[in-house]
Amino acid sequence: MTQSAAAQKPPATPRRLDPEDAQHALAEVQERLRRQQLVADLVHRQEEGDAKANLVEDLVHRQHEAELKTLLDGLHPADIAFILESLPKDERQSIWKLVSPEHDADVLLEVEDWVRESLIEAMDRQDLVAATGNMDADELADLAPDLPPDVVAEVQKGLTEEERAQLLEAMGYPEDSVGAIMDFEMVRVREDITLEVVLRYLRRLHELPDHTDQIFVVDRQDKLQGILPLSRLLVSEPETEVRAVMNSDFLTLNPLDSDADAAGAFERYDLVSAPVMDDQGRLIGRVTIADVVDVMREDSQEQALSRAGLQEEDIFAPVSTALRNRAPWLLFNLCTAATASFVASQFEGTVSQIVILAFLMSIVAGIGGNSGNQTMTLIIRALAMGRITGRNLWQLVKRELFVTLMVGLCGSLVAALFAWAISHSISIALVMMAAMVCNMLVGASVGVLVPMVRARFGKDPAMGSSVLLTFATDSLGFFIFLGLATIFLL
């Protein structure tokens, strides 16, 4: 008896999710590139014009390229993006040429902005049009700022009127808004049809849009009336009308809302998707958990860089680019360090008479900085989540100062014992204790004020915050400790 095609088809091999797969692939790519470079170097050492050596180089080069292409074809686009981000520009361009054209669009969407620019520069106009021609309107809007205008215009010609309108709409929203990340693919139904009709409609679709956990119920003017969870659709009687089982109480987003606020809502309410409505109540798109995860990751990276006074850059960028990125805050840090040194120099007489102070004052400054860094991290996180308001600000300040005072008293006892052990002076131990508590309070105050003031003026609360905190705790820490020592020990 002849088996059916489905029976003859071998079972699919599940792919285990392992973050180290991309790292292993990167190591293999780097090793193959290294071997290729070794062969090239050996050939160049031969006599110039040696036809046999050049032939060997060409054959080995083709073999390595074939092996690399086979390796890349078996990787997920996200893993390819990781590899490209981890290679210097020259090697990155070599690997990019070997990526299958069918993966070009997905890889361009996965890579960081600073890598995407270099990849687009290496592609000719025809390849760019082919890669972006089948993208959805929201995906194309993400890439549009990095694409040449003539490529965007060419791709627009292949869009339908609806897709072209969606593209222009998405490009018109601010970068950090819900409108810039929303998806236009979603399932809509009317409230006066039965669930059986809805199921028949879904079966006619080629596939459901990604992360579809609910169907949106709209009227003839596309005004959102409710949502129909897929779970309720599947367990309810087919003869039931949509209006009888849909949810009328649901969360909606506005396209001008901050994407960070949307991420907070997804986290708070455990959402998979959320509808986006305009001011007239019309459904214009949706935001999915995939978009929100990207927002959270980007915000986390930006905060980590901002605290050190950095902006996102290619880790293999030219030295001139790195200097422009890092030099301003480093120069500012140099000025703050010079100020702290100047403060210490004003107490030269005190330090010269009690030399042990020179060893102890760095402890006071360091502990104050660490304490302030803890407070600052909590404040920046609370600001990002929108948890700080005018009503709870003063209560938060008092709490942080009280917690710092309690921790400072405990820690200063240990520091005082240490100071007494190496100096055999109760007076030095008491000065050490008082100075540490005072400087920890300074650190906590700065940890609250710097992010709050920057946020009040519309600036990134994390930008350069660590540099400003170090300046305050070093300068004031030296001043407090040496000042107290001058008053009570001399």
Side-chain angles (χ1 to χ4, degrees), residues 333-470:
N333 196 14
L334 176 61
C335 294
T336 61
T339 302
S341 298
F342 174 77
V343 171
S345 69
Q346 301 306 299
F347 297 90
E348 180 181 359
T350 303
V351 176
S352 63
Q353 295 184 49
I354 310 176
V355 180
I356 195 67
L357 298 179
F359 302 97
L360 296 177
M361 65 182 186
S362 61
I363 298 177
V364 174
I367 294 298
N370 290 336
S371 175
N373 192 51
Q374 291 178 341
T375 299
M376 182 172 287
T377 300
L378 291 174
I379 296 299
I380 292 175
R381 173 63 176 167
L383 284 171
M385 299 299 296
R387 293 172 178 160
I388 297 181
T389 64
R391 292 179 177 272
N392 63 16
L393 175 58
W394 179 238
Q395 181 181 0
L396 179 63
V397 172
K398 290 191 296 183
R399 175 190 177 277
E400 285 301 316
L401 291 178
F402 181 74
V403 170
T404 301
L405 177 61
M406 294 297 100
V407 174
L409 289 175
C410 296
S412 63
L413 288 174
V414 178
L417 289 174
F418 174 75
W420 174 80
I422 64 174
S423 67
H424 304 291
S425 171
I426 295 295
S427 300
I428 291 178
L430 292 176
V431 167
M432 180 77 173
M433 183 176 180
M436 181 173 291
V437 172
C438 291
N439 200 35
M440 289 180 68
L441 291 173
V442 168
S445 300
V446 174
V448 172
L449 291 176
V450 169
M452 291 300 304
V453 170
R454 289 190 61 84
R456 178 66 179 81
F457 289 96
K459 304 295 183 180
D460 183 357
M463 177 60 75
S465 55
S466 294
V467 178
L468 296 171
L469 176 63
T470 301

